[in-house]
Amino acid sequence: MPGSRALAPRSRLAPAGLALIALAGLAAPLRAQEGAAPGVETAEEPVELPDPASPELSGEQDAGLPQAVPPFPGEAAPVDPAPEFNAAGERQIGFEADTLEYDSGGETVTALGNVVLRSGDRSLRADRVSWSRPSGEIVASGRVRFVDENGNQLFSERIVLTDEFEAGAMEDLLLALRQGGRLAAESATREADGTIRLTLAAYSGCAVTTPDGCPKDPSWRITADRVIYDPAEDRVSFQSAYFELFGMRLLPLPGLALKTDGGAASGFLVPDFRFSESNGIEVSGSYYWRFAENRDLTGSAYLFTDAPPMVSAQYRELNEAGAFQVTGYLTNSRRSSDFVGGQVTDFDSEPRGYLFANGRYQFDANWSLTGSIRLASDRTFLRRYDLSRDDRLRSVVEAERIDANSYLSIAGWATQTLRLGDDQGQVPVALPAIDYRYRLNDPILGGKVELQANSLAILRTDGQDTQRAFARARWDLQRITPGGQVVQLTGLVRGDIYHSSNNLQTPTPLYRGRTGWEGRGVALAAVDMRWPLVGELFGGQQVLSPRVQIVATPPIRNLAIPNEDARAIDLEDSNLFALNRFPGYDRIEDGARITYGVDWQFTKPGLRVESTIGQSYRLDAERRIIPDGTGLAESVSDFVGRTEVRYRDFLKLTHRFRLDKDNFAVRRNEIDATVGSSRTYAEVGYLRLDRDITLVEDLQDREEARAAARVAFANYWSIFASGIFNLTDREEDPTFTSDGFEPIRTRLGIAYQDDCLEMGIAWRRDYVTLGDAQRGNTFQLYFSLRNLGIR
C-alpha cells in the first residue's frame, strides 16, 4: 500500500503493508510485558532523556558520531542497519519500545515507554508515539527528542511528524543547533521545505551550562514574537526582536538575521566608545558585508568631538591561489608638519591616512609570492588615532622558490620611519635583494656542501648608495666519536664585490667604507666539539655538555667595505658560538679565536631547567672594527649566559646576562617572567644595557621595566593592569633628561568574558607627547558578541 506508514522492530525494517497485515490479525492489544509480540524486542533497561540544560544541548556529542550509531546514551547499535528507503521507494522506519498496542477500531498503533524511531540519519525518542493508519500521521509526546539529518536536536513535549518523518507542529520547543546556537519557543510548525516557524521565541549563541556541567542562564539572548529558521540557508530571521543582556531588555533589533552554521552574516557590528586627550569622545560603528564564502568587506565610521570624522575599510579574499587583505583609513585633520627640537611649531589641516595590505599566493608546489605594504601619511597619524605604536613601517614583496635541494628569494624592502627626529632620506630601500642556495646531493669528503649566491642594492634619496654581490661555498661534517663527543667541522670560502657612492653622507665613519668598487675574499675554518654527559639528579635527569669551538679566518679587508647590515653587534648567548658574531654579511670577524662554555639541562616531570654560560679568547690583536663596550673588542671577551626555567604551565622564567671580564660588572641584565594560569597571571620584564658605547648610534644604553597582571574572579570577570617604565638616567645616556623613572604608558581595566560575550572598560595613560598625539588619559568601553549580525 504505497504511502502508508509502518513501525517495525529494531533488528529489522519493513515496508508499511507487511506491518499492517501482521498487526491486523491480532484480536487483542499487544503488551510486551505480558509476552512480546513477534518481532518486538523489549528494552532491558530504560534510558533517561537528557535534561534540556545538559551538556548534550551543545550539539557537539551527536555531531561527531557516525550516522549508523544511535545518538542516545546507553543504547545498542542496530544489528544490521538498513537503507532509508526500500526497493519500492517507500521510507522505512525502525523502532523499539517497552510496550506496543494496536487499536483495530481506530486503526492506530501506539508504542509506549522509551520509544525510539529511526529512519536514515533522522531519529526520534519519546515516552509515547502513536501512528494513525488512515491519516499516516505520527504523534510523539512526552520528553520528545528529534534529531534531523544535519545533527540539530529538537526537544519538545509534543510533536507531530509528517509522512516523510519530518517534524510538523510542535509545542514547548527547544532547538539545539549543531553549531551551538539554541532556539526556544512556545509553539512551532515545520513547512514542507523544512523551514521552521516559531512563535514567542528566544535565541542565544551561549552555552546553557558551566564548564562543570551545571545549568546557567545565557549571558545574552534575543526574544521575538516570530522567528523563522531556514536550515537550507543556515539562517534565523526575527520579527519584533529585542536584545536582552543578563535578563534585562536593552534595545530593539529590527530586521535581525543571523547565521547558525558558525559562518559570518552581513550586518552591523557592535559600536565602540572611547575618550582620548587627542580626539575627545569617540564613537565608532561598522557594517560587515558577506559577499561570498571567500570574500567580505567591513566599512567603519569614526566620530570625534575634538577632531574631524574618519572612515576606514577592510577587504579580505581567499581564493584557490592564496589570500590577501587590504585595510585603509582616511580623514582630513590638522597634522604636525614641522618639528624643531621635538616641539610642534605648525599645524596644517590636510588629508591623512594609513594603508596596510598583505597576502600570500602559492602558485604551485615550489613557487610562492608574499607581500606586505604599510604606508602612513605622516609620522603621528597611527599614534594619534591609536592604531599602532610602531616607530617604523616596513613594506616587502618577495617571490620564493623552494624544493628539496634549493632555495631562491627575490625581494624588495622599503621602510618608512615614524621617529620625529629621523631623516627619511637616510632610510634605505633594498631593491632588489636576491638570495639563492643549492645543496649538493652527493657528499664531499663525507660532508654536506651548500652553495650560495647573493646580491643586494641599497638606495637612499639623501644618503649613501651601496650595491653588493657575493658567492659562497660551505662544507659541514658532523660525527660522533666512540667516546660520545659530537664533533663538527666547517669550511667556508666566499668572494665579495661592492660598489658605493655618497659615502660621506653616512654619519658614522665606521660604516662608510671606500667610495667606488671594492672586493674581498673570505676563508674560514672551524671545529666545534660538544660532550654531552647524562646522569640522574634529584629524581630527574641532567645533561652537562662542555663545548669548545675554534674558528680561524685570515685577515679581511673589512673597513674598505660599507657596513649596511652588520651594525648592531653585541655579544649575547645567541651568537656566542656563531661562526661570525656580526649580524648580516658586511662584516666578518677575522683572526683566530677559541670559544668555550657549558650547557646544562635538568628535566623531571613538570620541571625543565636549561642554562648556558661561555666566553671567547682571540689569539691575535684587538679588532678595530668592533666598538668598545660590545664585549668583543678585546682579546678576552666578556662572560655571557642564559637560564630558562619552566614549571608546568605555571612558571616560565628567562634570564640573560653579560658580565664584564675585568670586574664582573653587569653589562646586560634581562629578565622575562610569567607566573600563573591562563586566567590569573603576572608578567614582569626588565632590561638594562650598560655598555658605555658612545660612537655608534645603534648601540645606546637603555634601562626599562615592564609589568602586567590579570586576576580572574567570579567565573567570568577579571581585572587587568600593565605598565612600561623608562629607567634610563643621564649617567646611562646623556641625551636623556629623565631622573631614572619615567612612566611611558600605564593601563588598568575590568573585563567580562564567556563563551559568546566579551565586554569591559579600560583606562590608559600616555606620558609622552609626539606631535599631535597628545599625552593624557584614554578611556575605552568595548563590547563584543558572537554569532550576531543584522541584515
Side-chain angles (χ1 to χ4, degrees):
M1 300 172 56
S4 60
R5 306 289 300 175
L7 300 179
R10 177 176 59 185
S11 59
R12 60 185 178 88
L13 294 148
L18 297 179
L20 288 177
I21 292 175
L23 294 173
L26 301 178
L30 300 173
R31 299 187 181 276
Q33 293 89 337
E34 301 171 356
V40 177
E41 297 182 13
T42 303
E44 296 179 0
E45 182 179 353
V47 181
E48 294 296 329
L49 260 179
D51 188 275
S54 71
E56 293 185 16
L57 295 190
S58 65
E60 297 175 354
Q61 293 154 331
D62 290 354
L65 291 175
Q67 299 296 346
V69 178
F72 305 106
E75 296 180 8
V79 176
D80 184 17
E84 187 175 359
F85 298 93
N86 61 12
E90 299 171 327
R91 177 177 291 276
Q92 303 179 105
I93 302 176
F95 86 96
E96 56 185 272
D98 293 341
T99 303
L100 184 65
E101 297 179 349
Y102 176 65
D103 182 1
S104 59
E107 296 187 271
T108 302
V109 178
T110 302
L112 302 171
N114 297 311
V115 185
V116 179
L117 307 183
R118 296 189 187 88
S119 179
D121 297 335
R122 303 173 185 174
S123 60
L124 178 140
R125 174 166 190 135
D127 291 340
R128 174 189 175 95
V129 174
S130 63
W131 171 68
S132 173
R133 176 187 176 187
S135 64
E137 185 180 69
I138 300 176
V139 179
S141 59
R143 299 185 300 172
V144 180
R145 180 190 186 195
F146 178 77
V147 181
D148 65 16
E149 61 274 12
N150 296 319
N152 301 317
Q153 304 177 68
L154 190 154
F155 295 85
S156 178
E157 279 302 309
R158 185 177 185 277
I159 183 172
V160 178
L161 301 175
T162 67
D163 56 2
E164 289 299 322
F165 198 48
E166 294 177 343
M170 294 158 275
E171 297 176 0
D172 295 330
L173 167 70
L174 174 61
L175 179 60
L177 303 174
R178 182 173 183 176
Q179 298 297 333
R182 292 156 185 84
L183 276 166
E186 288 190 2
S187 62
T189 58
R190 178 168 180 157
E191 299 180 352
D193 60 356
T195 301
I196 299 178
R197 298 182 178 272
L198 303 97
T199 303
L200 299 178
Y203 170 84
S204 179
C206 304
V208 294
T209 61
T210 66
D212 299 329
C214 300
K216 77 177 184 71
D217 294 329
S219 53
W220 65 264
R221 69 173 187 169
I222 300 168
T223 59
D225 293 341
R226 298 286 186 273
V227 175
I228 301 175
Y229 168 54
D230 186 352
E233 297 291 334
D234 291 315
R235 191 179 73 155
V236 177
S237 303
F238 298 83
Q239 299 176 6
S240 302
Y242 285 86
F243 175 75
E244 294 184 2
L245 181 66
F246 299 118
M248 297 181 294
R249 178 175 288 190
L250 297 183
L251 73 160
L253 298 174
L256 176 65
L258 54 90
K259 298 285 286 183
T260 63
D261 60 355
S266 298
F268 291 99
L269 305 181
V270 179
D272 285 334
F273 302 91
R274 181 182 300 180
F275 170 82
S276 66
E277 293 289 342
S278 300
N279 302 314
I281 299 175
E282 171 189 342
V283 179
S284 62
S286 302
Y287 190 88
Y288 175 80
W289 285 273
R290 181 77 164 182
F291 300 128
E293 293 297 324
N294 65 324
R295 294 183 293 116
D296 59 26
L297 173 67
T298 302
S300 303
Y302 307 81
L303 300 178
F304 311 96
T305 58
D306 296 345
M310 182 174 67
V311 294
S312 70
Q314 181 187 57
Y315 178 80
R316 303 184 302 176
E317 181 174 324
L318 172 67
N319 50 50
E320 295 180 355
F324 71 93
Q325 72 86 30
V326 180
T327 302
Y329 293 83
L330 181 63
T331 187
N332 191 90
S333 65
R334 298 172 62 190
R335 58 180 279 188
S336 50
S337 58
D338 186 24
F339 296 93
V340 177
Q343 298 296 320
V344 181
T345 61
D346 185 28
F347 285 95
D348 294 324
S349 181
E350 55 187 85
R352 307 177 67 185
Y354 169 61
L355 175 66
F356 170 46
N358 65 341
R360 178 180 176 85
Y361 279 80
Q362 191 73 41
F363 300 111
D364 56 31
N366 304 115
W367 281 98
S368 65
L369 178 67
T370 304
S372 176
I373 298 175
R374 300 183 69 190
L375 296 172
S377 59
D378 55 88
R379 303 191 183 192
T380 60
F381 176 82
L382 295 179
R383 282 183 177 265
R384 171 170 181 173
Y385 293 99
D386 205 18
L387 301 178
S388 172
R389 296 191 171 273
D390 294 339
D391 60 1
R392 60 179 64 86
L393 302 179
R394 294 186 179 92
S395 299
V396 59
V397 177
E398 182 179 24
E400 290 181 293
R401 186 188 187 280
I402 305 174
D403 61 24
N405 295 307
S406 66
Y407 171 79
L408 172 64
S409 170
I410 304 174
W413 296 80
T415 302
Q416 178 185 4
T417 181
L418 301 183
R419 297 180 179 181
L420 300 187
D422 285 0
D423 181 4
Q424 180 65 47
Q426 288 284 340
V427 179
V429 174
L431 181 69
I434 303 175
D435 187 54
Y436 176 75
R437 306 185 188 196
Y438 182 77
R439 184 174 57 197
L440 300 182
N441 286 324
D442 298 327
I444 296 180
L445 300 177
K448 298 180 180 178
V449 175
E450 180 183 276
L451 306 178
Q452 180 183 11
N454 182 285
S455 69
L456 174 67
I458 291 181
L459 309 174
R460 293 180 176 89
T461 59
D462 186 20
Q464 178 176 334
D465 296 336
T466 302
Q467 297 81 44
R468 177 194 74 196
F470 70 79
R472 187 191 76 164
R474 174 170 172 170
W475 172 83
D476 289 287
L477 172 65
Q478 186 178 89
R479 290 291 186 266
I480 300 178
T481 69
Q485 297 88 356
V486 180
V487 180
Q488 177 166 326
L489 303 178
T490 301
L492 183 147
V493 292
R494 198 177 98 185
D496 302 349
I497 184 170
Y498 281 77
H499 180 270
S500 59
S501 58
N502 303 321
N503 298 54
L504 295 179
Q505 296 187 24
T506 296
T508 305
L510 195 62
Y511 296 159
R512 293 172 182 169
R514 296 178 181 176
T515 302
W517 293 95
E518 294 290 338
R520 69 178 176 183
V522 177
L524 180 147
V527 56
D528 191 315
M529 186 186 74
R530 292 180 292 116
W531 192 1
L533 304 173
V534 182
E536 296 183 356
L537 180 68
F538 302 133
Q541 186 180 70
Q542 66 168 332
V543 181
L544 185 67
S545 303
R547 183 175 181 181
V548 177
Q549 180 194 66
I550 301 175
V551 180
T553 304
I556 297 175
R557 301 176 66 247
N558 276 300
L559 294 180
I561 302 300
N563 184 2
E564 297 282 6
D565 65 0
R567 297 183 176 184
I569 182 174
D570 193 11
L571 180 62
E572 301 176 352
D573 63 280
S574 59
N575 65 5
L576 175 64
F577 287 95
L579 296 179
N580 179 30
R581 263 86 72 92
F582 280 96
Y585 297 106
D586 291 338
R587 289 290 181 265
I588 304 294
E589 188 179 1
D590 53 2
R593 68 179 185 270
I594 300 175
T595 306
Y596 41 88
V598 62
D599 298 330
W600 181 71
Q601 176 181 298
F602 172 72
T603 58
K604 64 181 302 183
L607 177 64
R608 183 182 184 91
V609 181
E610 295 181 347
S611 186
T612 298
I613 188 170
Q615 186 185 40
S616 68
Y617 174 74
R618 185 177 295 109
L619 302 181
D620 54 359
E622 300 176 1
R623 301 290 96 189
R624 291 187 300 153
I625 62 171
I626 301 178
D628 292 334
T630 60
L632 290 168
E634 302 181 21
S635 296
V636 180
S637 77
D638 289 346
F639 296 93
V640 294
R642 182 193 76 252
T643 298
E644 294 185 4
V645 179
R646 293 188 66 108
Y647 177 69
R648 302 187 185 276
D649 292 330
F650 180 76
L651 171 66
K652 181 180 180 181
L653 171 67
T654 302
H655 178 227
R656 297 180 178 90
F657 65 90
R658 176 158 68 87
L659 303 178
D660 192 290
K661 64 178 178 58
D662 297 321
N663 55 15
F664 295 102
V666 179
R667 298 303 180 190
R668 181 188 187 98
N669 191 16
E670 183 177 1
I671 300 173
D672 288 289
T674 302
V675 182
S677 64
S678 59
R679 300 188 66 234
T680 298
Y681 59 87
E683 296 180 349
V684 177
Y686 173 79
L687 172 65
R688 184 172 188 264
L689 301 176
D690 183 18
R691 300 170 295 189
D692 298 331
I693 303 174
T694 58
L695 299 177
V696 183
E697 70 273 16
D698 304 85
L699 301 173
Q700 296 173 332
D701 287 341
R702 288 290 183 268
E703 185 175 7
E704 70 175 30
R706 309 176 306 278
R710 179 180 291 269
V711 178
F713 65 96
N715 293 329
Y716 303 106
W717 290 91
S718 63
I719 298 175
F720 57 90
S722 64
I724 301 176
F725 308 92
N726 180 17
L727 306 181
T728 309
D729 56 23
R730 299 176 188 175
E731 183 177 346
E732 293 172 318
D733 190 336
T735 64
F736 269 65
T737 60
S738 171
D739 59 359
F741 183 84
E742 182 182 31
I744 303 299
R745 186 166 60 254
T746 55
R747 190 166 182 252
L748 178 66
I750 184 170
Y752 174 94
Q753 183 176 5
D754 61 18
D755 59 311
C756 63
L757 169 64
E758 182 177 0
M759 64 178 185
I761 184 170
W763 163 80
R764 191 189 74 233
R765 180 170 180 82
D766 294 285
Y767 296 84
V768 179
T769 295
L770 295 174
D772 57 342
Q774 300 295 315
R775 59 181 294 174
N777 299 316
T778 298
F779 297 90
Q780 180 181 10
L781 176 66
Y782 59 93
F783 189 86
S784 177
L785 297 174
R786 302 176 186 175
N787 305 325
L788 185 61
I790 298 178
R791 287 189 176 180

